[in-house]
């Protein structure tokens, strides 16, 4: 079913009975909704007694409920894991920031907390770095058009520009400039926020400049009041949405009658003006900065003229990262002391915090998100690296296990970990992965040896993938949450390397 019915809610402040009572009444009258998305303060200073009943399972939320994290020090303790976790049955904390992809294909970007100027930000806040990293991870996905839903607690600054009045709220003074920047980049079809104890449904706004850019979908910003407020302001919003990825492009970009200019365009232009000199300095990041001594072979030419005609024309340029990337070889962030070997399209590096001293990564030099996005010449070189590593590890009495996690990552990393031939047979390795996957309710499927991963995964699809040096492969399409250290923890388990203390790379 392509259409999903969602509910969004403002500050709950621990009034769970009031909220869930209202949700039950709505579902009784209008039928089932798929999920409830809560922005703002989910917990309040008096939450403890009501919350205890849900936490212990004495009571249960009537609908899958997804919440943002703390906005003050007082409620930080309710959120045990910053990367997101289940808080009670049917109540899930999404995490500090990221993208939640529902089974329907709906993409929900989220950012917890309030804006902070400090670095690192306190546990209940986000900083400019958090916003940049969230933008980078999403904008680097191929053909990125926007997200279906954006959830933040604060309002975006200046959201009322060119629009209907927000009542007593002054949108020039309230909210966060960083969130305006995030919304301008992520182009959400719906953006929900809270914290101002007010309801404001802004007129839809454009995401393109008329006559200069191809039409894009519009965005709708909706701020919600607090649950059970005395003035009866709206705190619950019901809407139906078809995932952007399943819509007819012409239907998606239809412009409603009351559409306005983009409220953030002016502030973005000003920000770009102040940043202009910086961008000019950043230009050279497209060159390759590796420091190779002459005896290590030919230096890669950085200039087309030097190349002469000796090299065939390169196929299409890999996409450029939209922010700092730890793995682009051209990037100042890359830790060059870990680099082992550099080819034409790929390089080999030691893993930072590896499971073993000879745990290595195969990485593309250009910025690619996953194996599925690679061009044919990069794939060819990855295959050569795999063959060389197989031969090398076999000479040491080992076989390798390779895995890739295309989820919450922005640059392809193929993790290659050697295991002893004598006590890790391919069957042992596959069984360990499948057994741990079942425990965590992850469906790990074996894919035919000679089939290619591009036949089972589309570009942009989150997945986890394991390959043995025999060519056997296991694959999982990620549809919701996925444990980030899954591959490591299986290999570190007693059944394989028996290094439980190394399961978490930190």
């Amino acid at each position: 079913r392509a259409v999903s019915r969602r509910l969004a809610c403002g500050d709950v402040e621990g009034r769970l009975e009031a909220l869930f009572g209202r949700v039950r009444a709505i579902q009784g009258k209008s039928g089932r909704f798929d999920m409830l998305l809560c922005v703002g303060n989910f917990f309040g200073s008096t939450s403890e007694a009501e919350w205890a009943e849900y936490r212990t399972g004495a009571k249960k939320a009537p609908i899958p409920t997804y919440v943002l994290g703390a906005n003050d020090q007082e409620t930080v303790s309710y959120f045990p894991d910053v990367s997101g976790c289940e808080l009670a049955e049917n109540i899930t904390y999404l995490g500090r920031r990221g993208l939640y992809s529902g089974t329907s294909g709906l993409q929900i970007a989220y950012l917890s907390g309030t804006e902070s100027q400090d670095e690192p930000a306190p546990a209940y806040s986000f900083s400019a770095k958090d916003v940049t990293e969230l933008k980078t991870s999403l904008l680097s996905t191929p053909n990125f058009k926007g997200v279906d839903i954006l959830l933040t607690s604060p309002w975006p600054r200046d959201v009322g520009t060119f629009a209907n009045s927000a009542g007593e709220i002054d949108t020039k003074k309230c909210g966060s400039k960083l969130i305006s920047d995030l919304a301008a980049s992520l182009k959400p079809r719906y953006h929900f926020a809270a914290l101002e104890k007010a309801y404001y449904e802004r007129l839809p706004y454009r995401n393109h400049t008329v006559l200069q850019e191809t039409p894009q979908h519009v965005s709708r910003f909706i701020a919600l009041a607090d649950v059970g407020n005395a003035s009866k302001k709206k705190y619950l919003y019901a809407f139906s949405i078809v995932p952007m990825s399943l819509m007819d492009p012409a239907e998606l970009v239809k412009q409603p009658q009351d559409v306005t200019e983009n409220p953030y365009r002016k502030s973005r232009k000003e920000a770009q003006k102040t940043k202009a000199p910086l961008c000019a300095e950043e230009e050279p990041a497209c060159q390759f900065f590796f420091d190779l001594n002459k005896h290590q072979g030919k230096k890669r030419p950085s200039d087309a003229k030097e190349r002469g005609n000796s090299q065939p024309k390169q196929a299409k340029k890999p996409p450029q990262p939209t922010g700092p990337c730890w793995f682009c070889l051209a990037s100042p962030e890359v830790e060059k002391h870990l680099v082992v070997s550099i080819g034409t399209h790929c390089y080999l590096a030691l893993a930072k915090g590896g499971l073993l001293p000879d745990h290595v990564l195969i990485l593309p030099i250009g910025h690619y998100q996953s194996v599925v996005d690679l061009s044919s010449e990069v794939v060819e070189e990855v295959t050569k690296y795999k063959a060389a590593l197989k031969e090398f590890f076999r000479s040491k009495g080992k076989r390798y296990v390779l895995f890739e996690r295309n989820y919450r990552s922005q640059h392809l990393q193929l993790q290659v970990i050697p295991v002893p031939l004598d006590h890790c047979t391919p069957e042992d390795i596959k069984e360990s992965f499948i057994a741990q996957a079942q425990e965590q309710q992850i469906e790990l499927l074996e894919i035919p040896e000679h089939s290619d991963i591009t036949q089972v995964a589309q570009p942009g699809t989150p997945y986890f993938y394991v390959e043995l040096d025999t060519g056997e492969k296991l694959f999982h399409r990620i549809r919701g949450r996925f444990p980030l250290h899954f591959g490591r923890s299986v290999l570190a388990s007693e059944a394989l390397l028996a290094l439980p203390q190394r399961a978490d790379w930190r």
Side-chain angles (χ1 to χ4, degrees):
R1 194 183 56 167
V3 181
S4 51
R5 301 174 75 222
R6 308 282 152 133
L7 288 167
C9 177
D11 305 277
V12 179
E13 297 191 321
R15 300 183 194 105
L16 302 175
E17 287 307 285
L19 168 64
F20 292 139
R22 183 93 184 88
V23 169
R24 282 189 193 96
I26 289 173
Q27 297 207 104
K29 210 162 71 181
S30 332
R32 232 187 104 254
F33 281 80
D34 298 301
M35 62 164 59
L36 167 64
L37 303 166
C38 297
V39 290
N41 296 317
F42 188 69
F43 295 105
S45 48
T46 56
S47 303
E48 209 34 61
E50 268 192 58
W51 175 238
E53 297 189 86
Y54 288 87
R55 199 187 57 232
T56 57
K59 289 185 176 170
K60 180 186 161 182
I63 181 172
T65 302
Y66 293 84
V67 311
L68 293 181
N71 296 299
D72 53 42
Q73 188 56 53
E74 211 176 13
T75 53
V76 166
S77 58
Y78 286 100
F79 303 92
D81 181 350
V82 292
S83 60
C85 55
E86 189 172 63
L87 299 177
E89 190 178 351
N90 253 1
I91 302 177
T92 304
Y93 164 45
L94 286 164
R96 272 192 74 145
R97 56 160 203 263
L99 181 72
Y100 175 84
S101 300
T103 44
S104 62
L106 202 68
Q107 297 216 303
I108 303 172
Y110 56 88
L111 179 66
S112 286
T114 52
E115 179 174 334
S116 163
Q117 301 303 316
D118 299 334
E119 199 68 72
Y124 54 87
S125 293
F126 58 84
S127 65
K129 189 170 167 229
D130 287 301
V131 170
T132 304
E133 285 178 14
L134 179 54
K135 275 167 45 179
T136 302
S137 65
L138 294 177
L139 297 175
S140 61
T141 53
N143 312 320
F144 178 81
K145 289 190 184 72
V147 294
D148 292 299
I149 298 171
L150 173 61
L151 305 175
T152 63
S153 287
W155 291 27
R157 175 74 55 88
D158 289 322
V159 67
T161 310
F162 310 128
N164 47 323
S165 154
E168 68 272 32
I169 307 289
D170 181 354
T171 60
K172 288 186 168 54
K173 294 200 177 100
C174 105
S176 154
K177 281 185 178 169
L178 288 175
I179 286 179
S180 307
D181 181 24
L182 183 66
S185 298
L186 299 192
K187 302 173 188 162
R189 290 162 66 204
Y190 283 90
H191 177 181
F192 295 99
L195 296 184
E196 298 295 337
K197 311 249 186 288
Y199 167 67
Y200 173 49
E201 186 167 355
R202 189 202 186 282
L203 289 170
Y205 62 82
R206 287 187 197 97
N207 282 302
H208 64 277
T209 310
V210 180
L211 301 177
Q212 288 178 33
E213 295 170 307
T214 348
Q216 294 181 43
H217 60 270
V218 299
S219 290
R220 290 178 160 82
F221 171 76
I222 295 139
L224 295 161
D226 46 324
V227 169
N229 66 84
S231 347
K232 304 253 186 298
K233 290 178 193 156
K234 187 167 175 163
Y235 64 81
L236 208 53
Y237 184 92
F239 63 112
S240 294
I241 185 169
V242 174
M244 198 187 301
S245 54
L246 301 177
M247 281 184 75
D248 168 12
E251 194 58 35
L252 178 66
V253 302
K254 272 192 180 158
Q255 305 292 302
Q257 285 286 284
D258 53 359
V259 66
T260 78
E261 265 317 305
N262 190 308
Y264 315 124
R265 185 153 278 133
K266 195 168 147 235
S267 55
R268 286 196 105 194
K269 272 186 185 152
E270 283 162 10
Q272 278 162 351
K273 267 183 207 156
T274 58
K275 278 189 187 161
L278 185 68
C279 298
E281 284 168 31
E282 283 171 358
E283 256 331 287
C286 297
Q287 298 168 2
F288 292 99
F289 290 143
F290 2 120
D291 179 18
L292 291 184
N293 298 331
K294 288 286 183 281
H295 65 265
Q296 276 181 282
K298 275 165 74 178
K299 188 173 188 296
R300 272 180 61 92
S302 62
D303 190 305
K305 284 183 293 223
E306 284 177 44
R307 233 180 255 154
N309 297 323
S310 63
Q311 266 190 321
K313 250 195 182 153
Q314 278 211 1
K316 95 177 181 247
K317 245 178 107 180
Q320 294 303 306
T322 47
C325 174
W326 296 101
F327 298 105
C328 281
L329 199 46
S331 161
E333 269 84 15
V334 86
E335 307 214 18
K336 299 196 174 62
H337 64 285
L338 297 172
V339 174
V340 176
S341 149
I342 299 164
T344 312
H345 304 290
C346 303
Y347 71 102
L348 197 66
L350 289 171
K352 188 179 178 182
L355 256 172
L356 299 158
D358 45 5
H359 172 173
V360 291
L361 308 179
I362 304 174
L363 303 129
I365 288 171
H367 188 75
Y368 292 94
Q369 168 94 19
S370 73
V371 162
V372 181
D373 301 310
L374 295 179
S375 61
S376 52
E377 62 260 86
V378 186
V379 171
E380 200 180 314
E381 198 164 291
V382 167
T383 309
K384 284 182 183 165
Y385 265 123
K386 284 188 204 168
L389 286 169
K390 176 177 176 173
E391 199 178 322
F392 167 71
F393 286 132
R394 289 288 171 111
S395 74
K396 306 277 179 208
K398 297 171 184 178
R399 68 171 80 250
Y400 76 62
V401 181
L402 174 149
F403 67 84
E404 178 198 357
R405 185 194 79 229
N406 179 29
Y407 169 75
R408 293 204 178 179
S409 59
Q410 54 150 327
H411 188 113
L412 164 63
Q413 303 156 55
L414 294 175
Q415 309 268 350
V416 185
I417 293 122
V419 296
L421 273 170
D422 48 13
H423 82 268
C424 292
T425 68
E427 283 318 302
D428 295 333
I429 296 166
K430 284 194 297 188
E431 270 169 30
S432 294
F433 270 98
I434 290 164
Q436 279 208 39
Q438 278 171 343
E439 260 172 50
Q440 304 198 36
Q441 294 170 322
I442 294 166
E443 187 186 26
L444 206 52
L445 303 172
E446 188 152 2
I447 54 177
E449 226 168 287
H450 299 292
S451 78
D452 185 22
I453 186 164
T454 53
Q455 294 165 306
V456 289
Q458 294 297 310
T461 308
Y463 62 80
F464 175 79
Y465 155 74
V466 184
E467 186 181 314
L468 307 189
D469 67 1
T470 52
E472 294 163 277
K473 304 180 183 85
L474 300 169
F475 176 83
H476 166 66
R477 179 173 281 109
I478 298 173
R479 298 189 190 279
R481 301 223 135 270
F482 185 78
L484 298 184
H485 298 303
F486 178 69
R488 272 185 86 103
S489 57
V490 174
L491 285 158
S493 66
E494 291 301 334
L496 298 176
L497 292 169
L499 295 165
Q501 72 286 3
R502 308 284 298 150
D504 182 325
W505 76 273
R506 283 183 292 266

